[in-house]
């Protein structure tokens, strides 16, 4: 299966053996603060991993496991998935989450850039990020990706205001980022 490589990260598909590490990361309050306001349970970690594996099986891509390149240690996830809200014709949801111990090092930006570029290389025309108001770090990542904030709406599941940001492939071609990465099969 394909992998993405950046200068500091390895992004790879998930495997069932990731459950222990996923459960540990989901227990990190910072990892899930936006929008859950709590650490997530082992059952939620299992549901996430099952969903991620199923998405990869159906589409051949999805949310990548984000790992430290030198050690392979799981740091979080980044990538695209089917868009459930808000509706956007032809759009894919792009998202990222890293363990709070990894914040402030630019790794979220590095992972988001690699996964956005990968999604566009696969023919995706539109990426949509749904970011809770107050999650300034993720909003900055969206801005650096060239995404344009188009709306603020209440999330149907959480009831909190979320910024809707979009990036069309034509915008991405005009606003190329400098983070380099490679894809290997």
């Amino acid at each position: 299966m394909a992998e993405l490589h950046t200068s500091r990260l390895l992004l790879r598909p998930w495997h069932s053996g990731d459950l222990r590490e996923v459960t540990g990361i989901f227990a990190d309050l910072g990892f899930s603060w936006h929008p859950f306001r709590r650490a997530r349970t082992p059952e939620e970690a299992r549901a996430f991993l099952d969903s991620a594996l199923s998405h990869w099986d159906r589409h051949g891509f999805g949310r990548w496991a984000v790992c430290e390149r030198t050690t392979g240690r799981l740091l979080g996830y980044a990538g695209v998935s089917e868009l459930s809200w808000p509706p956007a014709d032809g759009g894919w949801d792009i998202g990222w989450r890293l363990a709070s111990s990894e914040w402030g090092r630019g790794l979220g930006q590095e992972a988001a850039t690699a996964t956005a570029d990968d999604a566009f290389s696969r023919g995706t025309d539109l990426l949509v990020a749904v970011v809770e108001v107050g999650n300034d770090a993720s909003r900055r990542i969206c801005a650096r990706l060239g995404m344009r904030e188009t709306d603020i709406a209440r999330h149907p599941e959480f009831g909190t205001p979320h910024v809707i940001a979009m990036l069309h492939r034509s915008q991405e071609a005009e606003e190329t980022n400098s983070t380099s990465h490679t894809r290997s099969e």
Side-chain angles (χ1 to χ4, degrees):
M1 277 200 159
E3 295 179 341
L4 301 178
H5 299 265
T6 71
S7 61
R8 298 178 292 171
L9 299 173
L10 163 67
L11 288 81
R12 61 165 174 78
W14 295 95
H15 50 79
S16 59
D18 290 325
L19 182 59
R20 186 179 57 75
E21 286 182 284
V22 170
T23 300
I25 290 173
F26 270 49
D28 172 10
L29 179 61
F31 179 81
S32 296
W33 182 254
H34 292 287
F36 297 95
R37 302 290 189 274
R38 63 177 174 76
R40 292 166 72 194
T41 66
E43 293 77 19
E44 288 171 311
R46 163 53 81 190
F48 167 83
L49 185 57
D50 288 347
S51 176
L53 289 166
S54 175
H55 192 282
W56 274 89
D57 285 346
R58 285 190 321 276
H59 300 287
F61 66 100
R63 300 268 198 236
W64 299 85
V66 175
C67 303
E68 193 171 53
R69 188 169 181 165
T70 56
T71 67
R73 183 173 57 94
L74 184 66
L75 307 177
Y77 69 77
V80 299
S81 64
E82 294 172 294
L83 185 63
S84 59
W85 180 84
D89 288 338
W92 288 84
D93 178 70
I94 184 168
W96 47 86
R97 276 185 198 275
L98 295 177
S100 60
S101 60
E102 307 306 321
W103 295 355
R105 298 175 39 209
L107 297 175
Q109 183 71 53
E110 199 169 312
T113 300
T115 60
D117 290 348
D118 179 66
F120 286 130
S121 77
R122 294 173 185 270
T124 300
D125 289 321
L126 174 65
L127 296 176
V128 179
V130 179
V131 180
E132 186 176 25
V133 170
N135 187 347
D136 296 334
S138 283
R139 287 179 76 180
R140 284 190 299 273
I141 290 172
C142 288
R144 285 188 214 111
L145 286 174
M147 300 186 91
R148 295 193 177 118
E149 294 185 357
T150 60
D151 197 5
I152 296 179
R154 290 218 171 268
H155 195 287
E157 182 179 350
F158 303 107
T160 52
H162 281 64
V163 172
I164 312 304
M166 296 187 178
L167 180 63
H168 293 269
R169 186 182 352 192
S170 59
Q171 282 173 256
E172 192 268 345
E174 297 166 8
E175 302 170 17
T176 305
N177 280 293
S178 62
T179 303
S180 66
H181 58 274
T182 58
R183 180 174 165 184
S184 64
E185 297 298 325

